[in-house]
Amino acid sequence: ISGYGRFHLIGDGAYPLKRWLLTPFRDNGRLTAEQKKINKSLSSKRQVIERSFDFLWYACTPVLRKELRWPGL
């Protein structure tokens, strides 16, 4: 997420809120509609990022394994 030239990382609720790290609002049963909307948006963005890393990992793993083998083994 970027705005006006600033960039942020997106984290889950296990991380504390920092200027550079966006985390969801803690759901204590009193979230406003806007806070729920923000949480849903952050969650969907995190899921896309996590799936992308999974895809890259599985796509690159065979290549890495092949390059790490010793010749003749």
Side-chain angles (χ1 to χ4, degrees), residues 8-24:
H8 299 89
L9 295 176
I10 299 174
D12 63 21
Y15 296 98
L17 181 64
K18 301 283 185 182
R19 274 181 73 116
W20 48 269
L21 179 65
L22 299 176
T23 58

Side-chain angles (χ1 to χ4, degrees), residues 51-69:
R51 283 193 300 268
S52 299
F53 276 111
D54 285 345
F55 173 80
L56 288 172
W57 173 255
Y58 288 113
C60 293
T61 299
V63 174
L64 292 174
R65 282 190 205 140
K66 185 177 181 179
E67 290 180 7
L68 293 175
R69 288 188 192 138

Side-chain angles (χ1 to χ4, degrees), residues 33-56:
E34 186 68 19
Q35 290 171 326
K36 290 178 183 179
K37 183 179 174 183
I38 291 169
N39 281 358
K40 187 174 182 179
S41 177
L42 287 175
S43 176
S44 67
K45 287 169 179 51
R46 270 192 13 257
Q47 289 174 13
V48 169
I49 293 166
E50 288 170 2
R51 283 193 300 268
S52 299
F53 276 111
D54 285 345
F55 173 80
L56 288 172

